[in-house]
Amino acid sequence: MDTNRFAELLDAYGADPRRWPAAERAAALALAQASTEARRLLEQAAATDALLAMPPGIVPSSDLVSRIMAQLPPAPVAMPGPSLHLGQRLMVLLQEISPFRILWPQVATLVLALSIGVGVGLGDYMENFSVAEDSASLAVQQVVADASYMMEYVQ
């Protein structure tokens, strides 16, 4: 048993040796008697156990709670505001949940520009893809024409 394992036992089971695992109890008690560091750790654990064993704080009487509650101002009544259309409600919601409360219009503009750029880029790719597809079909037609020419030549 070393002081590191002893400290782990104290952290896990507290200062009371009856709560320590039986297989390690004798070695831990021997270390506590032989080592000043182990005794210091045991004293700290005992102080922590004492704090944890203290009864809960004083509970206020119901009379005191009633007097305090009576002194509180009445809760404000929410006044219904003008009704907002869906777009305005969405903007209010985005402003409330957004971590960038001020920057979200700029972020939305950036996302829109990025989306347009990706769309244009994909449009060019698809146009080039269709050109390549036309080239492939022309090549296949040429091979078929050459094959039919060769067949006529062989006959």
Side-chain angles (χ1 to χ4, degrees):
M1 172 77 54
D2 62 354
T3 53
N4 289 333
R5 178 62 187 145
F6 187 71
E8 289 174 1
L9 280 176
L10 293 174
D11 287 343
Y13 302 102
D16 186 359
R18 293 175 295 182
R19 290 184 278 179
W20 299 347
E24 296 178 289
R25 188 175 305 141
L29 288 170
L31 180 65
Q33 289 177 354
S35 168
T36 57
E37 175 68 15
R39 278 193 299 279
R40 185 185 63 78
L41 291 171
L42 186 59
E43 288 171 4
Q44 287 177 348
T48 302
D49 286 354
L51 285 174
L52 292 173
M54 289 178 61
I58 299 172
V59 178
S61 68
S62 61
D63 182 45
L64 178 61
V65 171
S66 298
R67 286 186 296 166
I68 291 172
M69 295 302 286
Q71 292 177 1
L72 291 176
V77 177
M79 299 298 293
S83 66
L84 303 174
H85 63 75
L86 181 61
Q88 289 172 328
R89 279 189 261 162
L90 181 61
M91 289 183 66
V92 169
L93 176 67
L94 286 174
Q95 287 175 346
E96 289 297 320
I97 65 173
S98 172
F100 308 105
R101 292 183 191 265
I102 297 171
L103 297 177
W104 77 264
Q106 291 86 350
V107 172
T109 304
L110 179 65
V111 168
L112 178 64
L114 181 65
S115 300
I116 291 171
V118 168
V120 169
L122 282 177
D124 286 346
Y125 173 75
M126 295 308 289
E127 184 177 301
N128 291 338
F129 180 75
S130 65
V131 168
E133 187 177 88
D134 291 343
S135 299
S137 67
L138 286 175
V140 169
Q141 289 173 359
Q142 185 64 39
V143 168
V144 170
D146 288 346
S148 64
Y149 174 75
M150 291 296 284
M151 292 301 287
E152 288 177 13
Y153 180 74
V154 171
Q155 292 175 353

